Amino acid sequence: YVQDILKKNNYENILEDHVIKVDDILKISVSLENPETLQMFSAVSTTTFSENRESLVYKGYKVDNKGEINYPRLGKLKLKDLTVFEAADFIFNEITRKGILTSPSVDIKILNLSFTVLGEVKLPGKYYFDQKINFLEAIGMAGDLTINGNRKTIKIIRKHDDKLQVSTIDI
């Protein structure tokens, strides 16, 4: 796919930070150097290796129609329109401002980011990903194009601000 990449037009690959939207499902992890201190803080994720994506989604915090989540010990927090990093900073500041914990580490993952691949690929379907992914990674997750796949007019359809954007790529 990339053997003549220098001969073709360069496609600018802009990967923007995800902005939290209504219906996003967040996994919020708070950690400290001393884990025993966290027992009093019920929002702590006790993720084990046996948890799968579905169980994490079930335990996640869904952003409601007002753009808020109900977080233990902090109450309603408006996270809509913040990036994941801004939301983590916001939660960190609320935890420390209220004196609940000092110097916690806050990590947020969005659990329902997905894309769908249709057409002449080995494994068409819906795929979940974590934060940033590019086009070639998405095709790779779908098992690559079949021998019959048209490599000159691949359509990418994205929803941005409630509008569909259609792009065509020639690989």
Side-chain angles (χ1 to χ4, degrees):
Y1 294 131
V2 293
Q3 53 186 292
D4 62 348
I5 196 164
L6 296 176
K7 295 178 187 175
K8 293 187 178 189
N9 293 336
N10 288 331
Y11 295 100
E12 190 173 345
N13 190 12
I14 300 172
L15 297 174
E16 298 174 358
D17 289 331
H18 181 79
V19 175
I20 296 171
K21 301 181 296 288
V22 170
D23 293 332
D24 278 349
I25 300 171
L26 310 177
K27 175 184 176 253
I28 302 172
S29 302
V30 177
S31 59
L32 288 172
E33 287 182 21
N34 182 2
E36 291 80 31
T37 309
L38 291 173
Q39 290 177 353
M40 54 78 87
F41 193 64
S42 63
V44 169
S45 171
T46 55
T47 303
T48 63
F49 291 106
S50 64
E51 286 186 312
N52 58 23
R53 191 191 151 296
E54 287 77 20
S55 67
L56 290 172
V57 166
Y58 179 74
K59 294 178 187 178
Y61 298 94
K62 186 173 183 180
V63 179
D64 66 19
N65 289 335
K66 294 178 184 176
E68 300 174 334
I69 63 166
N70 190 12
Y71 198 70
R73 308 269 325 249
L74 298 178
K76 294 279 188 177
L77 300 175
K78 183 167 179 147
L79 301 180
K80 181 180 178 266
D81 297 328
L82 297 178
T83 68
V84 171
F85 302 108
E86 291 169 340
D89 284 345
F90 177 71
I91 291 173
F92 170 88
N93 290 332
E94 287 297 300
I95 291 171
T96 55
R97 182 181 66 78
K98 291 186 176 185
I100 298 170
L101 296 171
T102 57
S103 301
S105 175
V106 179
D107 182 51
I108 299 177
K109 301 277 190 250
I110 299 177
L111 299 173
N112 59 327
L113 292 176
S114 67
F115 63 91
T116 302
V117 179
L118 301 173
E120 288 291 334
V121 292
K122 184 176 180 182
L123 303 166
K126 185 174 186 173
Y127 295 88
Y128 293 92
F129 64 100
D130 181 18
Q131 290 301 347
K132 297 180 180 182
I133 189 169
N134 66 39
F135 169 76
L136 290 176
E137 291 169 329
I139 293 292
M141 288 174 72
D144 201 4
L145 296 167
T146 67
I147 194 72
N148 298 320
N150 184 344
R151 286 150 174 80
K152 292 194 177 287
T153 56
I154 295 174
K155 301 270 188 226
I156 297 178
I157 304 169
R158 290 186 177 130
K159 189 174 185 181
H160 186 68
D161 294 333
D162 294 328
K163 294 180 183 177
L164 292 181
Q165 295 177 331
V166 180
S167 304
T168 303
I169 292 183
D170 176 359
I171 58 169

